Amino acid sequence: MSQKHVFFFGDGKAEGNAEMKNLLGGKGANLAEMTNLGIPVPAGFTISTEVCTYYYKHDYTYPPELEDEMKEALRKVEQVMGAIFGDAENPLLLSVRSGARVSMPGMMDTVLNLGLNDVTVQGLIKKTDNPRFAYDSYRRFVAMYGDVVLGLKPESEDDHDPFEEILDAKKRARGVQLDTDLSAEDLKELVVEFKAAIKEHTGEEFPEDPMDQLWGAVGAVFSSWRNERANVYRRLNNIPEEWGTAVNVQSMVYGNMGNDSGTGVAFTRDPATGEKVLYGEFLINAQGEDVVAGIRTPQKISHLKDIMPEVYRQFEEIANRLEQHYRQMQDMEFTIQKGRLWMLQTRAGKRTGFAAFRIAVDMVEEGLISKEEALLRVEPDQLNQLLRPVFDAEQKRQAVARGDLLTRGLNAGPGAASGLVVFNAADAVKWAQEGKDVILVRLETSPEDIKGMDAAVGILTARGGMTSHAALVGRQMGKVCVVGAGEISVDYKARQFSVNGKVVKEGEWISLDGSTGEVIKGKINTQPSEVLQVLIEKRQDSEKGVAYHTYQQMMKWADEFRRLGVRTNADQPDQAATAIAFGAQGIGLCRTEHMFFGGERIDAVREMILADDTEGRKKALAKLLPMQRSDFIGIFREMNGYPVTIRTLDPPLHEFLPHTEKEIEDLAAKMNVTVKKLHETIESLHEFNPMLGHRGCRLGVMYPEITEMQVRAILEAACEVKKDGVDVQPEIMIPLISHVNELKAQEVVVRRVAAEVFEKYGFEVEYLVGTMIEIPRAAITAAEVAEVAEFFSFGTNDLTQTTFGMSRDDSGVFLPFYVEHKILENDPFQSIDQKGVGKLMEWGVSEGRKSRPSLKVGICGEHGGEPASVEFCHRLNLDYVSCSPFRVPIARLAAAQAVLKEKN
Amino acid sequence: MSQKHVFFFGDGKAEGNAEMKNLLGGKGANLAEMTNLGIPVPAGFTISTEVCTYYYKHDYTYPPELEDEMKEALRKVEQVMGAIFGDAENPLLLSVRSGARVSMPGMMDTVLNLGLNDVTVQGLIKKTDNPRFAYDSYRRFVAMYGDVVLGLKPESEDDHDPFEEILDAKKRARGVQLDTDLSAEDLKELVVEFKAAIKEHTGEEFPEDPMDQLWGAVGAVFSSWRNERANVYRRLNNIPEEWGTAVNVQSMVYGNMGNDSGTGVAFTRDPATGEKVLYGEFLINAQGEDVVAGIRTPQKISHLKDIMPEVYRQFEEIANRLEQHYRQMQDMEFTIQKGRLWMLQTRAGKRTGFAAFRIAVDMVEEGLISKEEALLRVEPDQLNQLLRPVFDAEQKRQAVARGDLLTRGLNAGPGAASGLVVFNAADAVKWAQEGKDVILVRLETSPEDIKGMDAAVGILTARGGMTSHAALVGRQMGKVCVVGAGEISVDYKARQFSVNGKVVKEGEWISLDGSTGEVIKGKINTQPSEVLQVLIEKRQDSEKGVAYHTYQQMMKWADEFRRLGVRTNADQPDQAATAIAFGAQGIGLCRTEHMFFGGERIDAVREMILADDTEGRKKALAKLLPMQRSDFIGIFREMNGYPVTIRTLDPPLHEFLPHTEKEIEDLAAKMNVTVKKLHETIESLHEFNPMLGHRGCRLGVMYPEITEMQVRAILEAACEVKKDGVDVQPEIMIPLISHVNELKAQEVVVRRVAAEVFEKYGFEVEYLVGTMIEIPRAAITAAEVAEVAEFFSFGTNDLTQTTFGMSRDDSGVFLPFYVEHKILENDPFQSIDQKGVGKLMEWGVSEGRKSRPSLKVGICGEHGGEPASVEFCHRLNLDYVSCSPFRVPIARLAAAQAVLKEKN
């Protein structure tokens, strides 16, 4: 514990400074800093956070030295302010406020106007020549003190405030509506009545001695550190209880002393757009709480220039100095007392993601901060705000005001989209072909819905979490996507859904805000972001826009620092193109099974599944070969010069079979088998736990002819494009291994087919054979696995499922409960569980590289685009992360931050 | 490499001995040992296994010294046998045989009668005065040499042997049926024809020079170490290729030189029963291959006493000496040549499990071996043979002979049972109540079938593996159980099953051999084993029987050595009683959910599931409380003085709901809810992957009232029995945790309820709170978990499923393929996967004990009764294993072996 407990500030000199946030709290440190800068701050002192800790450790008592230190500081304040605490002629009045290391707005208690009593109020009257002001201040103080220090509060949330009740009675008695209609005499009576109420309800006298008042208020503020509200807030925001709060005791200044007084708040830049312009508002003849209360409409800060040009000039100069000094956009509070400007607070200002990015880039260009600082000042996830189409803000506001907000789901795919409701994939495709914007509404989506999802402008599901099929595929496609909107009840038969008593029918307009999860009835206009206009639509005219400039600069800087490569998960050439526009350096996961759906392909796939023997399967696979090959040719051309990791067939075969009786009958006719036989096949493929069933390499190991066809398609495609001069770098990835022997068995097939293909073409293509690490056993035995695998790719979706023994599809019942009740800190399907899943990854990387130092290691689970997970992957020294195209810039940024955080 | 390559034996002196198996192979070492013992062995020499290694390393050549060494050894053999190799008057004939470190019967090649040519055959005629014998030996030698050394073999398996074809032609030409009807002249012609065939087909001349013959045969034997057959056999039996084989060159002796000659095989004890009696058979005037071929019926060895009393006496004396010398039951081969006994082979004899146990115990009592040796000489799994009811062997033989063997499934629950076929649990219960023995036949079983399984004498399922529900529960109940009999097609509607064209209807008799997996039509009488007669039926008269005596001794010795505790998995008092009779030292897993089925209980459970809120659930749970309490009272009384680990509710709730429309309607009426609402509940509880869904502690965390009721039932029961003086040691086990916070949340409930119960009773009961470790993340974070858990119990069934990402229920499609194709060495659900699952266990134990040194650690998966897994648990220093009652003795034995293996 420090020797010193009390830190004075005033008249250009302070005992603290901005670096001392841990000891003085954020507010106290900044008050000291401003004072040192020569900025006019009402004098005061800060009682340190260590006193708070002492207070709780020592049964609500203070260090013995505190009293003397406080008296000494008080004396200095009196000196600077030219007033005496408790003086009958020229009383010094004080505010007593909390101030923790980080802001906890509204969580703790405050006492204003402290020092007033029946004697000093007379001094105040004399000083201000305004009895009404004096008694108004006095009655406010008594009420606040009675509440905060003496505990006279409403008994429950429904109860009235006891002081408000007395006030209301007084107004009724006087026959007036507003507080301001009460006279000085009325207010004086209220003081007496308030004191009596305190005595009656708490049994305690209101203390007339100002020193008693001060000790009471200090104790109340320290005690409020552990009130219910604050405890909950700390738990939610991971703020340690040991930090404690400081107490700031400061001379009162008044913005309500007439038309030469006022109060306001302002930002040094526009917190919504980031534009460099003083942004804020003020009220003449008002106190701070009036600005917040919103009874009177405040004026724009620029208007102050017209009313009090000198004060405005001074304020502008101070704002400028503060921003230059702190090298951060500032959020300031000020009061003008009789024409004199006092600064009451300054701190870093909250802003939108868009503003955060713009300000960071601007400040670098202004020479205020370094690129490193700029990179660290933004939240990678908020980059979305630069990329996503957005609703016309005014139209949306109006719609919500009209009551058209239907419900709120999970914001799975950011952006904004309006479209006509359809309830199945076929309709989505058909309507889209007719030129309509459609939103596909499903209970949940499955691989068969992919074409419909692709055709839709937005996807809405009633079930599923942030990594459900809809969310995963939607994000990868860059679709606006709201999932798990549990209040929605979908009636496929009636072609409508209902939610909170409202019914929306097929063909009606709805609008999805994928950034907030809002589902709104009706149409709202949207527009693509500037960044997309440049990157995707290649509109050069948009390059000069602020959003694009900001994006471009930030990405340039990110790439200068990051070590981690960033690839994308893409199954189609257009997805690959988008990802490259966003800076992807390869494909980390190309899922071949998505290519198995649609027309002739699904027929051939089903023929293969229904085949009785190897020969039958080979015949069906031969039909698929040219189609798969042409898919790969498209992707390889798009990814010229970049590696492409292709995963062999992963899902269980039953996913490719039809489910409804009608579809089964159709298929039976088409395949020329009996319905009974088809039913038997479907039944025989049924699994109790498909996630843990016959899938992944287990298919390829038992039916090597499937792997053989896929490898042939991949390498023939590679040879074809190489002939045209394309730099092709295929990486063949075997999924779901749990034992190295599975990989060995598949590698034999790959090498054999490769030799055959190269023989046929007369030249070779360099390629790698590797594996997903998505099963705990594969990670545990990584040393063995790496003897065969040339690369690892962590499939953290499945690895999380198996490490937790928790299915993504079924955890929706309990996972939200777990996160809400802090059983789990985060949804492990969103951010890598570093202690569990991460431990396996760490082990996998280090064991794998021990047996093969050149082992390339990446991650292709959805976590690859989540900033905390990206940082973790950086720390594990992975070679790359791979994520959906629209998350590529986020991953680039997070990867740069990881480097910078490591340095710090 | 040793200096010496050739090891002579003969005339009471050998250069090798029994210890030199690695160098001389098993056969060579034993021939040397017998020679040293003064036992009559035809002289010969062994070429060491190192020469084999050299041969392969040096491109099929020999060490330069070999030729001289071999000639020297041959000279000694000639001296001892009084005959000269290649001599025209008195030729020495040789056999050339392989002999690896472990026996590989029939895998490698042999050449007999080596040394014969057109010259030496005349010598043999003179010596034996038997031209027919000489030419018969000669033609056999040429054929064997042609086949083995020169490679004249049938071209495919379907082809005829070329020498057999020539022989057949000769017989046709002579108009005779049998080889023995051919004359010496015929045989002489055959020699010529055989040689011509060799020349024609291989292009090589048959070598007339005996030394050339010898080198050829030696090379052929070394080469056969790597023939296809041998390679496969080695792979299947994990025999390293580097071991190599030795070659034994030995003087020929002949048992076919007339009625004063013969040959035979014998064991020093009865290999079926273990009885100490010379057991074997012989043929007069025959060669070894005739005994094996089975054309003539051999005579019992005891009969030799009547025919050749002196030879018999001599043989008996040798057998005795060999057993005393090797301290192992011996399997011997001998030949009598003209009244003289020659020993050709001795080795440890194969025996049934029953015999193995009996012999081991007898030998200890005879002072031949130590208790430690006895314990290490038996396979714990074979202990079953002492415990299981058995079929009347003669009746079973007749049934199979009649063609009544229907099919063969997996031998999941050993023993023998006959009963009437029923197809559902209700019928099983009803028929059993009527006093009938029934066999429950199902596609597969589920928890709802438990009462039916309990009522049945045997269980037969068409699906499921060794750890399917039927196998698991069946074994635990000690039922005869055959599962996964895939050829069976069950028709519940027609109340019959069909298999291989045969139909078995409800009410017909079938018999199950759970030790072999055989399913037999009709009734076969059974009888309980002696051990069960004593332990379970408490029939003291059976205590003197061999089986019981053997069991009792072996268990006594096992308990003297083992450190690992052995508990049982038991849910009911009668199971607990059985387990205690088998030596269990507590219950390691008491599943509470099995108590949830049946009558009123299932109603209350369903009422709880259907409840809309906590209050509704609590009301339903209150009904369950007294029933659960009385269950626990029963178990605690039975387990007086032993710990009882009780697991809180584990399976997903949907397992308790009905599945058929009829049941759903009935339940809706009973519960007074609409069928629609019930359907909705069932639908809402549906899971895609129930194994990874809302189960285990996830239920208790979300619905703490369930845990509360169960803990109350457990501790109230504990208090009740403690009042009666029972020493009760409850251990409350929380299942399926993946994060320590889940355990923390449940521990709070347990401690609170405990305090309430103890308050009510006015006294306390000592109890522990612990957890299953059955999810990888729980093992990975064991250090954290052990801060809360007082004990760990590895649930290796689930841990295997999640570590492999492989569902027990669905892996039946590919797991057998994996094991068959050596992708996996073993079924990991049968024997712990030590490299993967075991690694997590190892980590869990060491991390857990780091943070809580007193941590009690056990295992309660099915692996707890599997010997290799028990040994692994011992090495991990677990406190106990827990297994089904009937595996308790096996675990005790395996635990003792683990200690002894560790010492060695």
Side-chain angles (χ1 to χ4, degrees), chain A residues 692 742 784 818 833 835, chain B residues 742 777 784 807 818 835:
Chain A
L692 307 176
E742 295 173 297
E784 277 183 10
Y818 268 35
D833 157 52
K835 275 193 184 173
Chain B
E742 295 174 295
R777 198 183 185 284
E784 277 184 9
S807 146
Y818 269 35
K835 276 193 182 173

Side-chain angles (χ1 to χ4, degrees), chain A residues 184-196:
Chain A
E185 197 52 38
D186 295 336
L187 297 169
K188 191 175 171 184
E189 286 171 23
L190 278 178
V191 169
V192 177
E193 289 166 27
F194 282 3
K195 287 182 180 173

Side-chain angles (χ1 to χ4, degrees), chain A residues 55 76 79 189 285 338 351 390 419 468 546 591 616 878 886:
Chain A
Y55 179 75
K76 288 189 194 162
Q79 223 161 21
E189 286 171 23
N285 195 15
K338 294 188 170 287
R351 63 208 88 171
V390 284
S468 62
V546 169
R591 302 181 187 87
L878 258 50
F886 277 75

